Structures are given as structure tokens and as C-alpha cells.
Amino acid sequence: MTDATAETPRRGSGMGSLMASDDHTAKRNAREKRFRMYGLVAVCTGILMLVLLLTSILTAGLSAFRQTTIEISVTLDADRLDPEGNRDPADMGKVTTFGYAPLLRDGLIGTIEGAGIETDLGARDVADLISDESVAQLRSFVLANPDVVGQTIPVEVLASGRIDGFFKGRVTYETAELDKNISPAQLRLAEDLKAADLLRTGFNWRFITAPDASTTRPEAAGLGVAILGSLYMMLVVLCLALPIGVAASIYLEEFAPQNRITDLIEVNISNLAAVPSIVFGILGLAIFINFAGLPQSAPIVGGLVLTLMTLPTIIIATRASLKSVPPSIRDAALGIGASKMQSVFHHVLPLAMPGILTGTIIGLAQALGETAPLLLIGMVAFVREYPEAPWDGGLFDPATALPVQVYNFTQRSDPAFVERASGAIIVLLVFLLIMNLTAIFLRRRFERRW
Amino acid sequence: MNDMRLTERAVDNNGTKIRAKGVQVYYGDTHAIKNVDVDIADKTVTAFIGPSGCGKSTFLRCINRMNDTISVARVEGDILIDGEDIYDKRVDPVQLRAKVGMVFQKPNPFPKSIYDNVAYGPRIHGLAKDKADLDGIVESALRRAALWDEVKDRLTAPGTGLSGGQQQRLCIARAVATSPEVLLMDEPCSALDPIATDQVENLIHELRANYSVVIVTHSMSQASRVSQKTAYFHLGEMVEYGDTGDIFTNPKDERTENYITGRIG
Ligand SMILES: Nc1ncnc2c1ncn2[C@@H]1O[C@H](COP(=O)(O)OP(=O)(O)OP(=O)(O)O)[C@@H](O)[C@H]1O
Ligand SMILES: [Mg+2]
């Protein structure tokens, strides 16, 4: 026995000590080390890119959440605002913003004088400090509260885009020299106002709640309509894509016979997931708007198009998680006389739930960020009216969507819109973050059951 | 005692619970069961033995039509339970499986509480009138599976949290809870230690009073301990079928003899 082993020539590395690695092992280790280096470099590059992206968006966009306002006391001249003298909003509505503009301008000049600030600017140049939007704001405030007519009230109005930009570092005395919209003298006046604590910078709720504003009034542009539009579309997608997708997956995975037709369907679903989203937009335009006659720019159409787009994602995720449920569970249920449907709904579906929910939320998140198909169905329109509540037919009212609003802002010439666009991206990212956290939370919750 | 019972059987012609006639099973092109004829008696334990891959599980799964769930499987021939052809068009496999319970090789409790595991069958078949009734069914099923004393204080704990042997007994309790007339067991003890195996074997002895039990096993000693009848399968054929004592002491077929003496398998 011992002889036999002694005679067999020993192969490989065996002769050396275990303390020193032989050539072969050294090579293998070096290869492994190199591979780990590549991986590490790839991960670091990815993280670096992400950090760069986030910093650039945050530095450009965070200022959108701060807004400069000026406090003015305005005397609301009853003769001008309510010629009939009856404080009836219907009659007062005849006075247009042209009737309000001088009041606001006089109010501003009065406020400046009251604060003891000296300026040699003309009335027009002084009025340029405040946003054109504030006149409209003042008018709607007065129409909503007719009793204030005749009084002198303090109002907080938006500073114009350039003044706002001055306090965010976007506009300086040097750029103002070359800018026909603003002069250094106006900037000096703004600084004096700030010193007198009449001009303030605070959190910009209007950016989140207000509707879009025209190209000349970046300071007033907000995301209210876009956020509502996006939420409405998500509602439609959730209500349609989740039940349809889950039902289709359960049928395909658990009930459908395995034959050519189901194979074909399967291949097509995978292909649909890879179809460029703009194709879905064309489909939506052709079917929902031209054929079915649904209104343009409406969240219902956007929601339907995004539903089509999200369905494959949800179906693929749901089928994968149904597949991952061990077959022994199905056998167990069938073995004690449960019907196919009972075995699916009582045992398989609950186990597949975390996967289904994660897939659904990922699909929704994809849909939330989708832009191209929405451009085609007219959701890129300029919409200033909030849609009604969903149960009042709001799904059929015109609206925009967050990613489209980002695109829209970037198309405008005023540099102040760069800040707004980045701000809108931040809002979009926050929504995505919330959805992903929900997915994680739901996953944990359902998985922790056993 | 054993002999007496068998004589009793012999005179009772209605004692046949399951009758298989010319059963063929194909998995696609594979011919897994070749022309099997067998009469399985009521209130008897029948053991299926044979080398791995010879078709014991396949034949067992024919008896409660679990093969229906395998799309490539095709069953030919007749299987009659109480004289009724279970492959008849009018037979609902779901109803059949309530009558023919099954315990699988690998314990497969539902990821639910111990109570819900056992109560699931009675619930879906509407066997319990009220909560108290259901509690009673659950308790007696767990008692018969020799599990009650171990779990009575934690019925709400997950069934998947039990040990392997306990899980298998839970699965037996689950199968027993629907009061089936036939109990099919596919290697129920292969995951169990000797003590748990002993408990399950005792259980099988008890079940014999009310059920027709068919058990697949790789353990010759187990087959001789628990069964009255034994069938030996070889490459899809049923080579020999008879009283357990005869098969083990005096096999007629050479292949059976080789298997039980340990020369093949
Ligand atoms: N789902 C299936 N699809 C295709 N062939 C199968 C399937 N199940 C079993 N077979 C084949 O049928 C034959 C019998 O298998 P079966 O599982 O009945 O054997 P067995 O006697 O139970 O073996 P073991 O003792 O190992 O459990 C084997 O050749 C197997 O490969
Ligand atoms: Mg088997």
C-alpha cells in the first residue's frame, strides 16, 4: 500500500511549503486581484458620476426653492377699483390689471419714501423691481376679499426675476450694465430695500403650488399643475396597470396552457418592454385622441399611454415573482383539494406580493419620469388652470406633467428658467425617492411575515 | 393478528378500495409506468418499493390525479376508487383530492400559522360548522399526527418554524384534517430522524383503522414494519405484488429478490 503511493509520481505544486504560494496560485491570485480592481474602479466611476450629477442639479436647482419678495403697503383706492361702489366682485371684475398697476406702483414708491430711502429712479424703473405677476395677484386677492377696498393694506409681492436673481448671485452690477431689463441703480435700490427689511428672501411655496407662468415672468412660474397632472396620471396607471398586469400574469403563469400561442404572447410582452416610449405616444395619439376622441393634454390620455408602457414591466416582474414561489406550496394546496384558483390566491399570490409591489412601483417610477409620449399627446401645452378633482372630471382637464415641465422650462430663454428647470428635477427626484422608499418599505413589511 | 385480518380481507370482495387496470403513464416520450394492474385494499397499508426512478411516485400521483399539474404527463388506463373511474370526464380532480389525501416527500407546510395549516383543508371544504368545531378538528388532527403536545401552546407560530420532523407531521395532520378515505404518502420519513420516523409509523398503524394508506418507501424495514401489502416496481413495471410477509420472505421474481437482498437499488 505504502509502496504504491510512493511510486505514483506526485503532480502539481505539492513539493513547496504552504507558506509560499507557487507559480500557479500566484497567477490565480493576481488575476483575482486585477478583477477586483476593475470592479472597484467601475463602482467608483459610477458613484462619481452620480455625485457630479446630483451636485450640478442641486447647485443649479436649490435656489428655485427660495424667492425674493417685497413688502409694500398699497392704498386700494375705492373709486378706481369699485366704480359702482357696491363691493360686488362681479362688477369689480370689470377693472382689469391696468387699473391695479398704478396702485401697486404708487404703493411701492410710497413705501420707499416711507422708509426714507432716496432714489433718483423714475416711477417706471421703480415699478420694474416687482414682478408683473404681482398685479394679477393683487387683483385676484381683492376680488376674493372685496372688503379690503378703500383700505391701505400691506402686501407681499414677488420681486422681478432680475432682482430675485441678484440676491441669488445670478445677476451682478457688471451684468446689469449690459442688461436692458435691469440697471445698477435698480439693484442699489433693491439693496436699500433689503437693508430696510422690506425686501426678504424666504421659502418658495409658490414654486410647488403655483401654475406655470409666461416666459417673461420666471419668478412666478410654479409646478402646481404639473404635479397634479403627474399625480392624476399615476392614479390612472395604478388603477389600470396593476389589476390588468397582475391578472394577465396570473393567467399566463398559472392557468394558460403551454403552447405556441402563449409562447408568442410571452415573446411579445418581452418585446413590448423594449419598445421606445415615443411609439406609445404615437399609438396614444392615433387611438385615444384621433379615434376615441379623448381630449388632448388630458391626464386620462397620458395615463392610458403610460399604462400601456408600464404593463410589460409589471407583467414581467409579477411573472418572475410568481415563478419564484416554490412549486411545493402549490402541490401542498392542490394535494388537500384546493382548486387552482384557491391555491393561487391563498398561497402563491401572498408569497409573490413583495415582488409584485416592487415591480409595480418601479413601473410607476418609470412612468413618472416619462416625457416623450406625453409631448405627442399635447401635454406640453401651456396650462395655467388647475384641473378639477378627479371625481369632478379632472382627469379630462388639460394639465402638464413634471418631466414635460422640466423640458418646457429648459426651452425658455430667460436664464432664470435654468434654476426653475433644475428645481423641477429636484421635485421629480424627490417623488421618485418617495416611491422607491415605499417599495422598500412594502417589501420589508410583506417579507417579515414569516 | 395479521393473519386473521388478511383472511378477513380475503373473504371480503368489496374490500378493494382502489383498482388500477392497465395504467400507462408517459412524460412526453418517456414511458414511466408500463401497464400496471393492482388492487389496493381498504383499511390496509400498501407499500410501494423499488429502485430510484422506477415510477413509484408517478404511480402514486396518478391515484389523486396530481399528475394533471404536469403538462407533459399523460395517463392511460383506468383507476377506480370505490368502483368509480377517477379519470372520467365528470370527475372533478379537486373533489377527488379531498377524498385522497397526500403527504409529500419534502415537508411543505404553508408559510402560515400551525393552526391555519391544519385548518386550511376543513375551511375550503366547509367541514366545520363554527370556530369551536374547527378547533376540534385541528386538535384531533394534530393529536393523530402525534404533534399536539409539542405545538399546543404555539398554534399561532409559523408552521415553517418547526423542525423538519415536526413539519412532516404537520403535513400529515393537514392531510388527515380533511378526513380523506385514502392517504398517499411519498417517502414521508426520508427527512426524519429515527424517533420521528417511529412516531409517523405509529401514526400509520393507527390510520389503518379508517383509511387505505399507500406509502412509498426506500426502507425495506419500514415497509415490512408498517405494511400488509407490498408492490415492487422495476423500471416502470409492477413486477410483484402480494402480502408483505410473502414478498420479503419468499419473493417470486428474481428482480424482487435482488432488490430486497440488496443486490440492486
Ligand atoms: N415531471 C417529470 N417530467 C418528465 N419525466 C419525469 C417527471 N417526473 C418523473 N419523471 C421520470 O419518470 C420516471 C419515474 O419517476 P418517479 O419520480 O416516479 O420515480 P420514483 O420511483 O419515485 O423514484 P425515487 O425513488 O427516486 O423517488 C423517471 O425516469 C423520471 O425521470
Ligand atoms: Mg419518488
Side-chain angles (χ1 to χ4, degrees):
Chain A
M1 193 56 192
T2 19
D3 297 341
T5 19
E7 273 166 35
T8 334
R10 297 193 59 181
R11 287 167 147 265
S13 54
M15 49 248 281
S17 134
L18 276 178
M19 297 296 165
S21 57
D22 59 60
D23 281 359
H24 186 63
T25 318
K27 241 188 238 164
R28 276 196 310 192
N29 288 350
R31 214 176 297 153
E32 185 168 324
K33 207 167 166 184
R34 264 203 312 276
F35 183 75
R36 269 198 282 188
M37 281 300 297
Y38 296 150
L40 207 62
V41 169
V43 169
C44 288
T45 322
I47 290 177
L48 187 73
M49 293 296 167
L50 190 70
V51 168
L52 278 179
L53 181 79
L54 282 182
T55 7
S56 85
I57 288 174
L58 288 180
T59 45
L62 274 182
S63 56
F65 294 92
R66 303 184 57 73
Q67 180 68 46
T68 312
T69 54
I70 303 175
E71 191 186 314
I72 301 174
S73 24
V74 183
T75 308
L76 298 166
D77 187 352
D79 293 342
R80 278 178 122 146
L81 301 185
D82 187 16
E84 314 266 332
N86 59 6
R87 301 290 188 267
D88 180 1
D91 290 330
M92 287 161 61
K94 289 179 191 140
V95 182
T96 63
T97 45
F98 287 112
Y100 287 82
L103 296 181
L104 210 51
R105 190 185 57 214
D106 294 346
L108 178 57
I109 293 170
T111 307
I112 290 170
E113 278 168 2
I117 300 167
E118 290 190 9
T119 178
D120 42 10
L121 288 168
R124 259 189 92 114
D125 287 339
V126 171
D128 273 350
L129 254 60
I130 57 176
S131 165
D132 293 344
E133 189 74 11
S134 17
V135 183
Q137 263 176 292
L138 178 65
R139 178 169 177 270
S140 32
F141 173 73
V142 170
L143 290 183
N145 308 282
D147 294 339
V148 297
V149 171
Q151 301 175 15
T152 300
I153 55 160
V155 289
E156 190 98 20
V157 300
L158 292 174
S160 76
R162 290 296 194 283
I163 298 296
D164 187 41
F166 176 60
F167 289 103
K168 291 171 180 170
R170 193 169 60 234
V171 175
T172 59
Y173 284 108
E174 290 81 61
T175 61
E177 295 278 6
L178 307 168
D179 194 337
K180 69 174 166 52
N181 288 318
I182 195 88
S183 66
Q186 285 170 314
L187 293 183
R188 259 188 299 275
L189 177 57
E191 272 191 318
D192 289 343
L193 280 169
K194 188 173 176 79
D197 199 28
L198 292 169
L199 182 147
R200 287 183 281 264
T201 305
F203 189 78
N204 191 4
W205 282 112
R206 282 183 47 94
F207 181 57
I208 295 163
T209 58
D212 196 5
S214 73
T215 16
T216 53
R217 300 173 188 176
E219 66 279 0
L223 299 171
V225 176
I227 291 177
L228 272 185
S230 276
L231 287 182
Y232 283 12
M233 286 195 298
M234 289 307 105
L235 195 71
V236 174
V237 174
L238 191 67
C239 291
L240 290 178
L242 184 61
I244 296 178
V246 171
S249 323
I250 291 178
Y251 177 76
L252 284 174
E253 198 57 43
E254 305 283 339
F255 294 96
Q258 285 292 315
N259 55 27
R260 286 257 173 77
I261 301 175
T262 41
D263 283 352
L264 197 73
I265 291 176
E266 201 162 311
V267 170
N268 276 310
I269 288 173
S270 318
N271 283 340
L272 270 185
V275 166
S277 57
I278 195 142
V279 176
F280 286 101
I282 295 174
L283 187 83
L285 183 64
I287 293 182
F288 299 126
I289 295 180
N290 291 346
F291 178 71
L294 289 170
Q296 283 201 9
S297 315
I300 182 83
V301 180
L304 286 171
V305 168
L306 294 179
T307 299
L308 290 180
M309 233 192 65
T310 316
L311 263 179
T313 314
I314 293 186
I315 291 181
I316 290 171
T318 305
R319 291 191 65 180
S321 51
L322 286 176
K323 236 181 226 144
S324 70
V325 174
S328 65
I329 294 293
R330 283 167 245 250
D331 283 349
L334 294 176
I336 47 172
S339 68
K340 188 93 201 185
M341 199 166 134
Q342 284 172 327
S343 94
V344 170
F345 280 88
H346 294 168
H347 302 292
V348 178
L349 208 52
L351 289 177
M353 217 47 178
I356 296 177
L357 288 174
T358 316
T360 307
I361 290 176
I362 288 173
L364 277 183
Q366 236 176 25
L368 182 67
E370 200 51 68
T371 325
L374 302 183
L375 299 181
L376 283 181
I377 57 163
M379 294 206 73
V380 71
F382 178 73
V383 183
R384 273 192 60 85
E385 296 288 314
Y386 294 102
E388 294 288 323
W391 48 89
D392 285 336
L395 295 177
F396 295 86
D397 292 344
T400 53
L402 268 175
V404 180
Q405 195 68 60
V406 172
Y407 167 78
N408 230 333
F409 283 162
T410 56
Q411 297 300 99
R412 298 182 187 170
S413 55
D414 194 313
F417 277 111
V418 173
E419 160 200 294
R420 302 274 148 172
S422 300
I425 291 174
I426 293 174
V427 173
L428 190 60
L429 287 179
V430 167
F431 276 106
L432 290 176
L433 195 69
I434 291 173
M435 290 170 84
N436 280 309
L437 289 178
T438 318
I440 293 170
F441 171 76
L442 286 175
R443 202 176 181 107
R444 286 273 169 79
R445 216 202 128 102
F446 275 90
E447 266 172 2
R448 212 183 294 153
R449 294 240 314 261
W450 300 115
Chain B
M1 150 104 195
N2 209 4
D3 287 350
M4 227 182 77
R5 215 193 48 74
L6 287 173
T7 348
E8 195 181 281
R9 275 291 147 222
V11 290
D12 186 2
N13 280 333
N14 297 331
T16 300
K17 184 76 185 171
I18 306 164
R19 165 166 291 169
K21 285 189 296 192
V23 175
Q24 318 266 4
V25 182
Y26 301 88
Y27 290 111
D29 293 332
T30 319
H31 197 172
I33 291 287
K34 296 164 190 160
N35 202 19
V36 168
D37 293 301
V38 65
D39 282 358
I40 292 170
D42 199 7
K43 302 200 184 0
T44 312
V45 179
T46 307
F48 288 176
I49 56 170
S52 190
C54 67
K56 306 177 298 289
S57 303
T58 303
F59 187 68
L60 201 68
R61 291 165 64 94
C62 290
I63 300 174
N64 68 347
R65 289 185 61 174
M66 280 299 278
N67 280 336
D68 291 12
T69 59
I70 302 172
S71 55
V72 293
R74 201 169 82 247
V75 180
E76 287 170 10
D78 297 323
I79 295 179
L80 297 97
I81 293 184
D82 293 331
E84 290 176 330
D85 181 6
I86 61 167
Y87 280 90
D88 192 283
K89 281 211 161 36
R90 285 164 294 179
V91 172
D92 185 347
V94 168
Q95 226 173 330
L96 170 73
R97 289 183 201 130
K99 193 166 156 174
V100 183
M102 185 157 194
V103 177
F104 298 83
Q105 177 170 358
K106 224 180 97 212
N108 54 357
F110 298 129
K112 294 186 189 305
S113 71
I114 293 170
Y115 183 93
D116 287 336
N117 260 284
V118 182
Y120 183 69
R123 270 193 192 130
I124 58 172
H125 296 300
L127 298 182
K129 289 189 295 291
D130 50 32
K131 179 85 172 77
D133 203 9
L134 190 61
D135 288 350
I137 294 177
V138 170
E139 181 177 340
S140 79
L142 285 170
R143 274 190 196 285
R144 289 163 78 184
L147 191 61
W148 174 254
D149 290 331
E150 285 157 68
V151 301
K152 61 171 186 267
D153 300 323
R154 45 174 177 149
L155 289 175
T156 51
T160 41
L162 296 172
S163 78
Q166 289 173 324
Q167 287 189 18
Q168 190 63 304
R169 278 179 283 149
L170 179 62
C171 293
I172 293 174
R174 185 175 64 187
V176 167
T178 50
S179 320
E181 294 169 24
V182 177
L183 196 59
L184 309 175
M185 302 175 120
D186 192 348
E187 301 180 42
C189 300
S190 62
L192 305 190
D193 70 351
I195 298 169
T197 303
D198 196 48
Q199 284 167 334
V200 172
E201 286 178 9
N202 287 337
L203 170 66
I204 294 171
H205 274 299
E206 271 176 51
L207 294 176
R208 201 182 70 200
N210 300 305
Y211 305 91
S212 172
V213 179
V214 183
I215 177 171
V216 171
T217 176
H218 275 286
S219 154
M220 242 69 74
S221 57
Q222 181 172 59
S224 58
R225 278 197 303 270
V226 300
S227 70
Q228 288 78 54
K229 292 276 193 178
T230 297
Y232 174 68
F233 283 76
H234 191 91
L235 297 177
E237 284 172 68
M238 203 186 69
V239 170
E240 198 167 345
Y241 177 56
D243 289 346
T244 302
D246 291 346
I247 297 261
F248 279 102
T249 52
N250 188 17
K252 293 188 189 59
D253 196 287
E254 195 189 350
R255 291 170 289 183
T256 318
E257 190 177 348
N258 287 343
Y259 182 71
I260 58 178
T261 54
R263 258 169 283 179
I264 54 167

